[in-house]
Amino acid sequence: MSDKKKKKLSPTQQEYQKFAQDREPKRPILLNCLKAFFTGGLICVISQGIQLFFITYFHFTQETAGNPTGAVIIIVTIILTGLGVFDHIAQWAGAGTIIPVTGFANTIASASIEHRTEGYVLGVGGNMFKLAGPVIVYGVFSSFVVSLVVITLRALGVM
């Protein structure tokens, strides 16, 4: 709470705010950062292993192995979300699980599971992109802006 808002509180309310703040458990910020870092890194290492699997055994190139690797990671995330395992991993790891592919897949899958009782079209189809929709819009818009900048710089001879 800001100092300006605290001044508007009565003395009893201010005393209670201080009482509550003193008893609030301290967050282990460094530990949370380490958990997120290593979990995100582990997800990336697993993804790299899957990509190397596609390159080694299916003779994909570095460029063409990316799409099936992303698909496998999305499918695994959706399965783990459906089984309720991904929620426990995300609770423990925090921000480490929001690597774009896994976080996006979890968002869509959890919204679909939550609204499945309303039917497939209005429930699942209508609600699965409520949380992920802004991400899609921002991604499309930002890629449009970046492409305009690149085209402009190339036209000016800078790139």
Side-chain angles (χ1 to χ4, degrees), residues 44-57 60-70:
C44 290
V45 166
I46 291 169
S47 299
Q48 187 66 41
I50 294 169
Q51 186 175 16
L52 289 174
F53 175 80
F54 282 121
I55 292 170
T56 304
Y57 294 105
F60 282 94
T61 64
Q62 186 79 25
E63 293 79 28
T64 58
N67 289 337
T69 301

Side-chain angles (χ1 to χ4, degrees), residues 138-158:
Y138 178 75
V140 169
F141 178 73
S142 61
S143 62
F144 174 73
V145 170
V146 168
S147 65
L148 284 179
V149 169
V150 169
I151 289 170
T152 304
L153 291 176
R154 284 186 181 163
L156 295 172
V158 176

Side-chain angles (χ1 to χ4, degrees), residues 11 14 33 51 64-65 71 83 92 98 101 105 107 126 143-144 158-159:
Q14 288 178 1
C33 288
Q51 186 175 16
T64 58
L83 296 173
W92 182 82
I98 61 169
V101 173
T107 301
S143 62
F144 174 73
V158 176
M159 290 180 76

Side-chain angles (χ1 to χ4, degrees), residues 29-128:
I29 295 174
L30 181 62
L31 180 63
N32 289 346
C33 288
L34 288 172
K35 285 180 182 179
F37 178 78
F38 285 111
T39 304
L42 180 64
I43 292 170
C44 290
V45 166
I46 291 169
S47 299
Q48 187 66 41
I50 294 169
Q51 186 175 16
L52 289 174
F53 175 80
F54 282 121
I55 292 170
T56 304
Y57 294 105
F58 294 106
H59 307 292
F60 282 94
T61 64
Q62 186 79 25
E63 293 79 28
T64 58
N67 289 337
T69 301
V72 168
I73 294 298
I74 289 170
I75 291 168
V76 168
T77 302
I78 290 171
I79 290 169
L80 291 177
T81 300
L83 296 173
V85 175
F86 195 84
D87 294 336
H88 295 294
I89 296 169
Q91 183 69 32
W92 182 82
T97 58
I98 61 169
I99 295 171
V101 173
T102 57
F104 191 72
N106 178 49
T107 301
I108 291 177
S110 61
S112 299
I113 291 168
E114 184 178 341
H115 297 286
R116 71 179 182 267
T117 58
E118 298 172 24
Y120 290 117
V121 175
L122 296 177
V124 174
N127 292 304
M128 72 187 327

